[in-house]
């Protein structure tokens, strides 16, 4: 490249703080300068004069650099942070009220504060971390999830007949299924990026490790986490095929996904039918199904009872079978929404559900505007995982979904799950933070638009922000 062009580009880049985008900007501006130079040569100017006129037509280097620096600033999706905080506050109020109850489940509010601080710190770490490193480390991340499960199966803490926890000291344990789940979906997004344009063969190579990770989760066993991870994988695969990520014939690819989807459905049906207790709990979702006050329907029956006894506003003072609502099973975990409604009233419960709905919509809106291909799939993974947990838990509290053991993110009392959910928010914020710093020429999502970002109008350089967003 000509020394004079290099000097001009150095001047422009001196005003742009983010060095990650200097290469792209140099390439784009350099190409336009050379185009203008060739145009001037065709108009009869010698090479040196043609170059000087071309650079002159570009405009003031400071003005260009300031505009580009403004466009390439890191950004924060404040609405997600605010909504996360509001949802967390409602959960904190309910759990604090429950910690003073003498009859309900034991809540160590000091431990809850520790979980909060660790979770906020984890979200901050993910927010500032360069998420593109995950793409390079997907193999290590995947194997870490598998190894965690194997260690837990061999030396984990056993509770209620299953080993799902590892002791980490200080009276704290880690729920391995939830931790392994986030490792698997992060690895899957990286593997998905590896098989871009690889067709049916790439899909099959992707489905095999995905299926293996679900099988590993079922070995602990953790049906709830296996369900969430499967839903996340399905969302990624369907979206990637719809966006022609693998190339070739999309009809054949959708057919392959449909065939693969039959396997877990058949397995789930067999698992339900072969287990009388689980079958009894599923019978209420069939036509004519009835919730009975005992047996496999006890949780659903109690949920209906306390929803009907709760006030529009404020704590219910009603009793059921001589007991207060704090004796409702799993009132601080799976049935936390019942807790919110019984403690603060239906009005606050509705507000919480509205906030969750807005949070989910904002997540998907943010993800849809991500320009980087890998960043899009990674943030979609996090978005789907959180959305599936929220929706499953809400529907379960209203007996519209089977009892799965899934907690409500940011609201339920817990340790590992709380940290993982905050980490997922951190992943989405990290991707969005760097959205303007990712190369729009390499690794981006395929777009139908080919508008140029830099336009020359009236002899001056204009930066088309709309075209930049569309890249």
């Amino acid at each position: 490249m000509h020394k004079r062009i290099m000097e001009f580009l150095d001047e422009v880049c001196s005003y742009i703080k983010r060095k990650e985008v200097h290469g792209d900007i140099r390439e784009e501006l350099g190409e336009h300068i050379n185009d203008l130079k060739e145009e001037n040569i065709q108009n009869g100017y010698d090479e040196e004069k043609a170059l000087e006129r071309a650079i002159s037509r570009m405009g003031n280097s400071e003005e260009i650099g300031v505009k580009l620096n403004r466009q390439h600033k890191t950004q924060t999706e404040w609405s997600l942070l605010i909504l996360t905080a509001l949802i967390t506050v409602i959960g904190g109020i309910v759990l604090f009220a429950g910690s003073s109850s003498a009859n309900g489940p034991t809540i160590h509010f000091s431990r809850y504060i520790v979980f909060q601080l660790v979770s906020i710190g984890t979200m901050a770490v993910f927010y500032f971390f360069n998420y593109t490193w995950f793409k390079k480390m997907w193999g290590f991340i995947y194997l870490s999830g598998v190894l965690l499960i194997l260690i837990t199966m061999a030396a984990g803490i056993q509770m209620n007949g299953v080993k799902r926890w590892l002791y980490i000291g200080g009276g704290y344990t880690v729920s391995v299924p939830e931790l392994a789940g986030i490792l698997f979906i992060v690895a899957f997004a990286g593997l998905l990026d590896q098989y871009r344009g690889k067709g049916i063969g790439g899909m099959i190579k992707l489905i095999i490790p995905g299926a293996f990770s679900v099988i590993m989760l079922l070995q602990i066993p953790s049906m709830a986490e296996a369900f969430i991870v499967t839903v996340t994988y399905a969302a990624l695969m369907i979206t990637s095929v719809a966006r022609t990520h693998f190339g070739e014939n999309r009809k054949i690819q959708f057919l392959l996904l449909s065939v693969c989807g039959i396997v877990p459905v058949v397995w789930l049906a067999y698992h339900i039918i072969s287990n009388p207790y689980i079958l009894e709990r599923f019978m209420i979702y069939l036509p004519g199904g009835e919730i009975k006050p005992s047996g496999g329907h006890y949780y659903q029956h109690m949920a209906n009872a306390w929803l009907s006894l709760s006030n529009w506003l404020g704590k219910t003072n009603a009793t059921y079978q001589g007991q207060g609502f704090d004796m409702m099973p799993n009132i601080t975990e799976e049935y936390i929404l019942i807790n919110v409604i019984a403690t603060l009233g239906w009005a606050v419960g509705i507000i919480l559900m509205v906030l969750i709905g807005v949070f989910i919509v904002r997540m998907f809106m943010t993800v849809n505007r991500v320009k980087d291909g890998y960043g899009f799939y990674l943030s979609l993974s996090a978005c789907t995982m959180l959305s599936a947990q929220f929706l499953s838990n809400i529907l379960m509290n209203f007996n519209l979904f089977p009892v799965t053991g899934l907690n409500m993110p940011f609201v339920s009392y817990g340790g590992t799950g709380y940290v993982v959910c905050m980490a997922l928010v951190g992943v989405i914020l990290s991707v969005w933070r760097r959205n303007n710093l990712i190369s729009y020429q390499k690794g981006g999502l395929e777009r139908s638009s080919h508008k140029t970002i830099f336009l020359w109008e009236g002899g001056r350089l204009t930066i088309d922000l709309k075209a930049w967003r569309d890249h």
Side-chain angles (χ1 to χ4, degrees):
M1 188 177 290
H2 196 281
K3 180 180 178 181
R4 182 67 184 89
I5 298 178
M6 292 289 292
E7 290 174 351
F8 178 80
L9 296 179
D10 287 341
E11 292 173 6
V12 171
C13 289
S14 68
Y15 296 98
I16 303 171
K17 296 179 180 179
R18 310 305 304 193
K19 294 182 180 180
E20 299 96 320
V21 297
H22 283 189
D24 286 339
I25 290 172
R26 285 176 177 276
E27 182 177 351
E28 182 81 8
L29 292 179
E31 288 178 359
H32 281 293
I33 292 174
N34 284 321
D35 289 343
L36 288 174
K37 173 187 170 183
E38 292 301 320
E39 180 183 326
N40 290 332
I41 290 175
Q42 292 176 5
N43 290 333
Y45 294 95
D46 61 56
E47 186 170 347
E48 288 299 320
K49 187 66 175 177
L51 177 59
E52 286 300 323
R53 286 181 63 84
I55 294 176
S56 176
R57 287 180 61 185
M58 292 289 292
N60 183 275
S61 60
E62 180 180 358
E63 181 181 349
I64 297 172
V66 169
K67 286 182 179 180
L68 288 173
N69 180 61
R70 189 183 303 118
Q71 177 62 23
H72 287 88
K73 285 183 177 180
T74 55
Q75 53 189 3
T76 300
E77 180 46 85
W78 290 106
S79 64
L80 289 183
L81 278 174
I82 293 171
L83 288 165
T84 300
L86 291 174
I87 295 169
T88 300
V89 166
I90 293 177
I93 292 172
V94 170
L95 293 176
F96 178 75
S99 66
S100 60
S101 173
N103 300 319
T106 302
I107 298 176
H108 301 285
F109 200 71
S110 58
R111 290 172 67 90
Y112 172 77
I113 296 300
V114 171
F115 297 151
Q116 284 275 13
L117 294 176
V118 172
S119 299
I120 293 172
T122 301
M123 181 178 68
V125 168
F126 276 89
Y127 171 73
F128 288 107
F129 184 72
N130 183 351
Y131 73 90
T132 58
W133 284 93
F134 290 139
K135 180 167 62 173
K136 306 172 185 177
M137 299 162 57
W138 70 263
F140 173 77
I141 294 171
Y142 183 88
L143 290 176
S144 297
V146 173
L147 185 61
L148 265 176
I149 293 176
L150 293 175
I151 293 173
T152 305
M153 292 171 64
I157 298 173
Q158 185 166 325
M159 300 181 189
N160 300 321
V162 294
K163 291 183 178 180
R164 295 178 184 164
W165 300 269
L166 287 176
Y167 181 70
I168 59 174
Y172 292 93
T173 59
V174 172
S175 175
V176 171
E178 292 169 301
L179 185 56
I182 188 174
L183 292 175
F184 286 144
I185 66 124
V186 169
F188 193 84
L191 190 57
L192 178 62
D193 187 77
Q194 295 290 315
Y195 291 120
R196 179 187 296 273
K198 302 297 184 180
I200 295 293
M203 290 181 65
I204 294 173
K205 292 178 181 178
L206 188 60
I207 290 170
I208 292 173
F212 180 76
S213 65
V214 172
I215 292 171
M216 290 297 295
L217 288 169
L218 291 173
Q219 298 308 305
I220 296 184
S222 179
M223 283 282 293
E225 195 62 31
F227 167 75
I228 293 296
V229 170
T230 300
V231 169
T232 303
Y233 287 166
L236 287 175
M237 293 299 293
I238 292 171
T239 303
S240 60
V241 171
R243 289 175 173 260
T244 63
H245 177 86
F246 298 101
E248 297 184 4
N249 193 320
R250 289 194 300 175
K251 291 183 178 179
I252 297 177
Q253 293 170 10
F254 276 123
L255 180 61
L256 174 61
L257 290 182
S258 300
V259 172
C260 292
I262 294 174
V263 177
V265 171
V266 172
W267 179 88
L268 179 61
Y270 172 77
H271 181 71
I272 294 171
I273 294 172
S274 61
N275 191 318
Y277 181 75
I278 296 178
L279 179 61
E280 182 184 1
R281 292 169 66 172
F282 271 81
M283 290 297 289
I284 65 171
Y285 303 103
L286 299 177
E290 180 182 357
I291 296 178
K292 300 176 182 179
S294 61
H297 300 165
Y298 178 69
Y299 284 11
Q300 290 96 328
H301 173 77
M302 292 297 290
N304 278 347
W306 286 112
L307 287 174
S308 65
L309 292 171
S310 296
N311 301 323
W312 174 248
L313 194 61
K315 184 177 180 179
T316 178
N317 293 317
T319 60
Y320 183 73
Q321 296 179 346
Q323 296 180 331
F325 78 88
D326 48 11
M327 298 306 293
M328 166 81 194
N330 301 330
I331 195 70
T332 62
E333 298 169 344
E334 298 100 305
Y335 284 101
I336 190 67
L337 183 56
I338 302 288
N339 198 341
V340 171
I341 294 172
T343 302
L344 303 176
W346 271 98
V348 177
I350 292 172
I351 290 172
L352 174 60
M353 288 184 282
V354 170
L355 288 173
I356 290 171
V358 175
F359 178 79
I360 291 173
V361 171
R362 286 300 305 172
M363 278 197 300
F364 278 106
M365 290 176 63
T366 301
V367 169
N368 192 50
R369 290 181 290 165
V370 172
K371 293 178 286 189
D372 174 51
Y374 171 68
F376 169 79
Y377 289 117
L378 180 63
S379 54
L380 179 62
S381 299
C383 178
T384 303
M385 209 169 192
L386 285 169
S387 300
Q389 286 184 245
F390 270 124
L391 295 176
S392 298
N393 182 270
I394 292 173
L395 293 174
M396 185 189 71
N397 275 254
F398 288 104
N399 291 329
L400 299 174
F401 193 78
V403 179
T404 58
L406 288 168
N407 291 346
M408 179 179 285
F410 319 134
V411 183
S412 295
Y413 182 70
T416 308
Y418 212 109
V419 174
V420 166
C421 288
M422 283 293 194
L424 291 171
V425 175
V427 167
I428 298 171
L429 293 175
S430 174
V431 173
W432 182 247
R433 179 175 181 267
R434 299 180 62 82
N435 198 39
N436 287 335
L437 309 183
I438 296 297
S439 170
Y440 53 81
Q441 295 175 332
K442 299 176 182 179
L445 294 171
E446 294 184 7
R447 306 287 187 182
S448 59
S449 173
H450 296 284
K451 294 180 180 179
T452 182
I453 293 168
F454 301 100
L455 304 173
W456 275 261
E457 297 175 343
R460 292 289 180 180
L461 174 68
T462 302
I463 303 172
D464 188 346
L465 301 184
K466 184 177 185 299
W468 187 285
R469 186 178 66 251
D470 291 339
H471 268 275

